[in-house]
Structure formats: C-alpha cells, structure tokens
Amino acid sequence: MRWKKSTQKLLSLVLTLAMLVSMVPAVFAAEGDTDADPVDEIVETAGPVDSLEDTPVTTAGTYSLGEDEEDLTQAADGTILCSNIDEVIQAITNAENDAKIIRLSDNITDISRANAITINDGQKITIDLNGYNWNGLMPSCQSYIKNNGSLTIMDSAGNGRIQVAAFNSIVTIENSGTLNLNGGLIDGTAQGGSHTGIVSSGNIIISEDATVSGAGCGLEVIDGTASICGGTLKSALGKDGADGYGLSVAGGSVTVTDGNVSGISNTSTNTAINVTGGSISITGGTFSSDVSAYVPQGYTYNSTTGAVTAATPVDTYVAEVNGIKYTTLAEAINAAASGDTVILLADILLDPTAVEDQNSTSLEPLITINKNLTLDLSGYSIKLDQTKLPGTTEGLPYTPVVFAVESAVTITGDGMIDAEAGYNNSYGINVNGGSLTIESGTFTGAPTAVQVQTGSLTINGGSFDLASTIKLAAPGNAKYIINAIDTNWQNATAQISIAGGTFGYNYSAYPAEGTGTYLADGYEMVENTDGTYGVQVDTNVYVAQVGSKKYKTLADAIDAAQAGDTITLLDNVSISEALTISCGVTIDGGNFTVTDSTGILSPAIKIESSDTVTVQNLTLDGAARGFDLLNSAAKLSLTDCTLNVSERGITCSLDAY
C-alpha cells in the first residue's frame, strides 16, 4: 500500500512537470509576440450591450489600497497592477463591495492551483488582461475561476487570454453570478480533454472582441440568461471523436444578436449550436452550421454565408378594402362592409389546423364570409400550408374548408382557391345559407371544390377540378368536384346553375341519385380535347317544362310527367308522331301552338288515361284528327283550346268522353 501511494504521487508529479514544460514555450512565445507594451493608464472601452449590471469602472483616486494590499501597485487611474498570480489573488481576496479593476502588467503563470479562484457574491471586479497571457494549471474535473458576484473581463491592449491546462475535463470559468465578457480569449483547449471555456448558470453577456474557446464546448448555458452580442464562440478540438459545439444550451434563455459561432464536426453537420433544453433566439451572427430552426420570423439564415440577418423588408399586406391594407385575409373580410370588394395583394397560405374544434369529424371552415361582398382574387392564390398538415398515417379528423359562404358573395379576378391537402379530405368552398356567384378563377378540392349545403351556386366561368393528390389517387371522385347535398337538392334548398367554365366531370345529368342537372337552362356540356368538359349555349331550345325541369321535346316532357303534374309549353312545338298520354296530367299550352304533321287519319294526341287529362290555352294546328280517346275509361277536358283540324277534333272509342 505504501508503495502504491508513493508511486501515485510520483506519477502525479511527473505529469505535472510534463504539463508545465508543454506550457513554457507558449508563455515565452506570448511574451515575445506581444506588440503592445503594457499601458500605464487604463484604455477606456465601451460597456457591454444591454448589460445586466453596470460594468464597474474605477476612476483615479476612487480606490485606495488597504492595509493588506501594501505590496500591490496602484496606477494613476486607480487600477491595481498585478504581475503575478499572488498579486491577483490578493487583490481579489481583499476586494469588498467596492468596484475594483485589476490590470495585468505581465504574463502570469499559475502552476499549483488546487482550488478555484472565487469572486464572491457582492464583489464587483473587472480584470483587464491588458494584452498579457494568464496560464493556469488545475486538477481534473474542476473550475479554474468561479464567479458568484459581478465579474467583467476585458483586454484593453488586445491579444490577452486566460488559458487553463489539466489532465482531463475542466472549466476555465464557471459563472453563477453576472459575467460581462468584453474582450480577451477565454481558452479551454490546452492539453486536450473535454475542456469547456465557460459554463454559465447565471447571467452572461458576451460582446465586442471576446473569444470563448473549448475543446468540447466554447460556452455552455445550463440556466439563467445569456446574451451573445458579438465576439466568437468555438470548439477547437471536439471531445474524444465526438462533435464540438461553439454554444451548447441545456437550460435558461439565450439570445444571439451578433458574433461568430462555430463547432467541430465529427459525427453530424449541425455543430455550431447544440440545444437540449431552455430556449434560444438568433437574430444575428455567423454560424458554421444550419441554425434556421432558432431564427424567428422576420429574420433569415443564409446557408451559403452562414449569416443570420433581418429579412429583406417586403410588403406584408395580403388584402385591401377601400384602399386600406390588411396583413391577413380574415382581417380584411371582417373589416369589409356589405357591398365592399376585398382585393387580394399577394398569395396566401392558410393553416389547415387553425380550426375551432380540433376533434371534429365534419366540415371545419378556416374563413367564414357572412356579409355580402365581392372577393377579387386579382390573379393571386389561396392555398393550404402543406407544412402544417400531419403525416399520411395520422390525417386530420375533420375536413378543412377554405371558405364557408353564409351571404351573397361573388368571386372574380382569375386567381386560385386550391384545397390541396395531401391525403386529407378538404373543400374549397361550402355554401351554407348563402348565394355564391363565380365569374372566374381556378378551384380545386379533395374531392370538392365547391359544395352547396343550403343556398345557391351560380357558375359563369372558371376552372374546376380535383386537387393534385386525389386526382392521382382517386380520380373516380371527380363527380364531387361540384356537389350538392342530395336531400337538399331534391327539395330545392340547395341549387346549382352552371352557365360557363371548365370542369373535370360531365355534369349534363345530376351526378348522384335523383333527377335534374346542374346546367343552367339553355346550356349543354361538351367534351374538350384534354378530357375536361366545357359549357356552351344549347342550340336546341327547351319547349316544355315539368316542375323545374325543362325539356327539348314535348314528347320527353309527357314521358317524364307523373299523374297530377302540369306540362307547360315554353315555345311553339312541331310534332311528326302522335303523342300518347297515359296518366292524368294537365297540359298548359301557354297560348303556344302545336303543329302536327303526322298524316291523314292519324291523331295528334292519344289519350288512354282513366284519370282526366286537362288541356288548356293551346292551339292545335295542321292535324287531320286532334285527340283520340282510345278506350272507354279515357277522359279529356279542354279549356280555351283551338283545334284547326281537317277531319275530326276529337275521336271517341266506345263510351269514352
């Protein structure tokens, strides 16, 4: 046991001597390379930006040496000049709550430090390196300087530094008070290991020409606040093949407004800053790796230069109403009065997750229009922000809707409303109690670009299609591009009238169960060469109507009519074949004329219904026979009708009347 202890002591002594030998050339080189001679008077420097405490400044004559400091030298400006470590320790130890400036007057070597040099709570000390080198030696896993009070480090002459060597991990400065670093090099790279320049759990400000360097990390913030207003933070070596960081944030609040931060990359590319806790905001400075994740809105990271700067000022307004500009579309719509026009000024991205009920399983509008207005897209687009959407496995439980229309709204301006939302359902517009007129623009949905829940939709122009993802994944949903709630369509509380535009589906007939068509009266759909469908005026005019449905021939109207319906003529009609009526309907001629060319002995209209068929306000012309009652049960009632026939107006079979 004795032999082991003696051996350990001998080994420690050998290693200490080896470290001292390695440090000597650096000391002598620093002495020989110092260009600026030590100054007799302190050089006035600017204090740190936004300092947490005023930097203590002692003017000539404001501080007098105490009884325990008689061996120290005081300059004319009141600073204490120290040429060795003992004088520095004496000056720090004897400092009370008065501000004290300690200025080096020679290079300092501290080879036998067993305990940290401590600035106590309440002490206010400034150390001016004055261009000299302060070299220390410490046991492993300790801090060389511990600041619990207020410490400012500056370097009035330039090229000064504090460098500490050890066998293993050490911290050059451990700060739990207030530390203002205005100049000099705080070096934690000597002898390798995982040295850290500064570890701070208090408040620290780094500015001007200060440099903090460590083998493993330059500055590590574990609590408190840190304001990096300039200087350099860097890792010079890395730690045992791991990455070395210029700045590491494990807690507290850090702001970086200027400076240069760099690390050593051994395993990853992001080594300028390592963030495992706390918060950090970067609005300036230059960095050796991507820090865009910590750059707030209004600032930008340049991956080429590594610089963070204020974003180039741009007009952030997206819409205007009556010459007043707004930064969001919702603000513009809310500010508009009934009858106003909202004009887009830029492309707009809407957050598809910004809905009231995040757990909803139904339609959730992003913007609701509940006043009569015109939306002028002005060639700009309104889209969903794809970066806000969840992954394909999660999906949104609800269906985001760009606009809910609850009033009379007209959309014009040839822009775009794009509801592309990946594999999520999404609607462009849902009309719910309002009336929407679309004059122009491009509209997409997944699958619905425009739906009428209740109310009305009139389309006079524009392009309507599936959004890009669903168009590839589920093209069969194209019939829902324009959609009405089925039950509401049948009871006429949801109405659609298409008189123009281009569509990804043929809406000549109602696309779901039921009858009717979305096409306006007098229009038809034609297929384009690209597979889309256009709308044009139908050259075949409608001649008859049953309810709200119009027909191009009287025969079609009679075939579609049910017992009790009224068939109303809309124009003069010519027939070449006899018409057969088999149920009790009313034909209202509307004072139009039916011209018959069926031939000799052929009736124009055959009646075989046992329910009464009523014909009124009609002129029948050109027929040989007018009406033929085919059986004894057939019944016919004529009111205000004129029959211009060559043979018989009415022919009865058996007891028909």
Side-chain angles (χ1 to χ4, degrees):
M1 296 296 289
R2 288 178 182 270
W3 181 83
K4 276 190 176 182
K5 287 184 177 179
S6 300
T7 302
Q8 289 175 343
K9 290 181 179 179
L10 179 59
L11 177 59
S12 177
L13 178 60
V14 170
L15 290 174
T16 300
L17 291 174
M19 294 180 66
L20 287 174
V21 170
S22 68
M23 293 173 57
V24 169
V27 173
F28 287 133
E31 290 179 342
D33 293 341
T34 302
D35 295 330
D37 294 330
V39 295
D40 292 328
E41 295 183 358
I42 189 85
V43 177
E44 184 177 353
T45 59
V49 179
D50 296 329
S51 297
L52 299 168
E53 293 188 25
D54 294 335
T55 300
V57 176
T58 303
T59 58
T62 60
Y63 177 82
S64 299
L65 295 177
E67 294 180 358
D68 296 332
E69 299 175 307
E70 293 177 352
D71 294 336
L72 300 180
T73 302
Q74 186 171 24
D77 61 2
T79 62
I80 299 175
L81 302 178
C82 297
S83 60
N84 58 63
I85 189 61
D86 292 334
E87 293 177 350
V88 173
I89 297 300
Q90 184 180 1
I92 293 175
T93 302
N94 294 334
E96 296 180 354
N97 292 334
D98 293 331
K100 178 177 289 189
I101 297 179
I102 299 171
R103 188 174 65 197
L104 302 190
S105 59
D106 201 349
N107 292 322
I108 290 178
T109 300
D110 183 16
I111 64 172
S112 58
R113 177 67 40 207
N115 298 308
I117 299 170
T118 302
I119 288 85
N120 294 317
D121 185 19
Q123 287 185 306
K124 297 181 180 180
I125 293 176
T126 296
I127 297 176
D128 179 6
L129 299 178
N130 194 26
Y132 291 104
N133 295 329
W134 177 344
N135 295 288
L137 178 64
M138 280 289 291
S140 300
C141 303
Q142 293 195 38
S143 300
Y144 184 72
I145 297 176
K146 289 186 177 181
N147 175 47
N148 300 319
S150 175
L151 173 62
T152 296
I153 297 177
M154 57 184 292
D155 185 20
S156 58
N159 296 319
R161 70 176 180 179
I162 300 176
Q163 184 181 44
V164 182
F167 297 113
N168 207 326
S169 303
I170 58 97
V171 175
T172 303
I173 299 178
E174 178 185 344
N175 174 58
S176 58
T178 297
L179 175 60
N180 286 299
L181 188 59
N182 297 338
L185 167 62
I186 308 302
D187 194 351
T189 62
Q191 299 299 115
S194 58
H195 301 349
T196 301
I198 298 176
V199 174
S200 181
S201 60
N203 303 312
I204 181 171
I205 296 174
I206 299 177
S207 58
E208 299 181 13
D209 297 323
T211 297
V212 182
S213 178
C217 180
L219 170 64
E220 181 179 0
V221 179
I222 59 177
D223 203 353
T225 64
S227 179
I228 316 302
C229 309
T232 298
L233 305 178
K234 63 181 181 178
S235 172
L237 298 175
K239 176 185 177 182
D240 300 329
D243 296 324
Y245 300 98
L247 171 63
S248 180
V249 182
S253 176
V254 179
T255 59
V256 183
T257 58
D258 200 359
N260 190 304
V261 183
S262 63
I264 297 296
S265 176
N266 289 313
T267 64
S268 69
T269 57
N270 295 322
T271 56
I273 294 179
N274 179 40
V275 179
T276 59
S279 64
I280 181 170
S281 174
I282 301 174
T283 57
T286 303
F287 303 84
S288 64
S289 61
D290 188 353
V291 295
S292 57
Y294 315 115
V295 176
Q297 186 176 6
Y299 295 85
T300 182
Y301 168 75
N302 187 316
S303 59
T304 302
T305 64
V308 174
T309 58
T312 302
V314 295
D315 189 351
T316 58
Y317 296 113
V318 299
E320 71 172 323
V321 181
N322 297 324
I324 301 175
K325 298 181 179 180
Y326 299 88
T327 57
T328 70
L329 180 56
E331 289 176 342
I333 291 174
N334 290 337
S338 180
D340 282 346
T341 297
V342 177
I343 303 173
L344 261 59
L345 302 176
D347 293 332
I348 296 173
L349 287 180
L350 298 178
D351 183 353
T353 65
V355 300
E356 292 184 2
D357 185 358
Q358 294 288 327
N359 297 316
S360 170
T361 57
S362 59
L363 302 182
E364 288 294 328
L366 303 178
I367 297 178
T368 297
I369 305 177
N370 53 16
K371 59 190 70 174
N372 300 341
L373 55 79
T374 296
L375 177 60
D376 184 353
L377 300 176
S378 296
Y380 293 107
S381 65
I382 301 173
K383 299 182 179 181
L384 301 180
D385 188 346
Q386 304 299 300
T387 65
K388 304 291 186 180
L389 292 169
T392 56
T393 57
E394 299 89 355
L396 295 171
Y398 54 86
T399 299
V401 182
V402 176
F403 288 110
V405 174
E406 300 178 351
S407 54
V409 175
T410 298
I411 298 178
T412 186
D414 212 19
M416 184 178 192
I417 297 177
D418 184 7
E420 166 62 28
Y423 288 92
N424 296 281
N425 285 342
S426 61
Y427 285 13
I429 303 171
N430 182 51
V431 180
N432 187 14
S435 62
L436 173 63
T437 300
I438 297 177
E439 299 292 347
S440 62
T442 299
F443 304 83
T444 71
T448 301
V450 187
Q451 172 177 276
V452 180
Q453 186 172 347
T454 59
S456 65
L457 167 65
T458 299
I459 299 177
N460 296 322
S463 176
F464 304 83
D465 207 346
L466 292 171
S468 57
T469 299
I470 193 173
K471 188 172 184 178
L472 293 174
N477 286 308
K479 65 181 181 179
Y480 299 112
I481 295 171
I482 305 297
N483 187 55
I485 301 299
D486 290 341
T487 55
N488 296 344
W489 170 261
Q490 298 304 330
N491 63 30
T493 58
Q495 301 179 20
I496 297 175
S497 176
I498 299 175
T502 303
F503 301 83
Y505 185 81
N506 186 353
Y507 291 105
S508 294
Y510 185 69
E513 295 181 0
T515 60
T517 176
Y518 291 159
L519 291 174
D521 292 342
Y523 291 88
E524 65 179 353
M525 278 198 159
V526 293
E527 186 172 3
N528 300 319
T529 57
D530 62 357
T532 62
Y533 295 87
V535 179
Q536 67 180 18
V537 175
D538 190 351
T539 55
N540 297 312
V541 298
Y542 293 103
V543 298
Q545 179 174 337
V546 179
S548 61
K549 175 65 175 175
K550 297 180 180 180
Y551 298 90
K552 297 177 182 179
T553 68
L554 181 56
D556 288 341
I558 292 173
D559 290 342
Q562 304 294 318
D565 285 345
T566 295
I567 302 169
T568 303
L569 263 62
L570 304 175
D571 202 348
N572 295 319
V573 178
S574 294
I575 59 174
S576 58
E577 294 182 358
L579 303 174
T580 299
I581 301 175
S582 56
C583 61
V585 297
T586 296
I587 297 179
D588 185 348
N591 297 318
F592 290 108
T593 299
V594 175
T595 301
D596 175 43
S597 60
T598 56
I600 299 175
L601 301 179
S602 175
I605 301 175
K606 300 177 181 180
I607 307 296
E608 61 181 14
S609 170
S610 58
D611 295 325
T612 300
V613 174
T614 300
V615 181
Q616 60 193 26
N617 307 317
L618 176 71
T619 296
L620 179 62
D621 196 12
R625 298 180 180 182
F627 295 90
D628 193 347
L629 280 64
L630 299 181
N631 55 59
S632 60
K635 299 179 178 66
L636 173 66
S637 173
L638 299 180
T639 303
D640 294 332
C641 292
T642 300
L643 305 181
N644 296 320
V645 296
S646 60
E647 294 187 10
R648 303 172 185 172
I650 300 175
T651 300
C652 297
S653 298
L654 299 176
D655 59 347
Y657 64 92

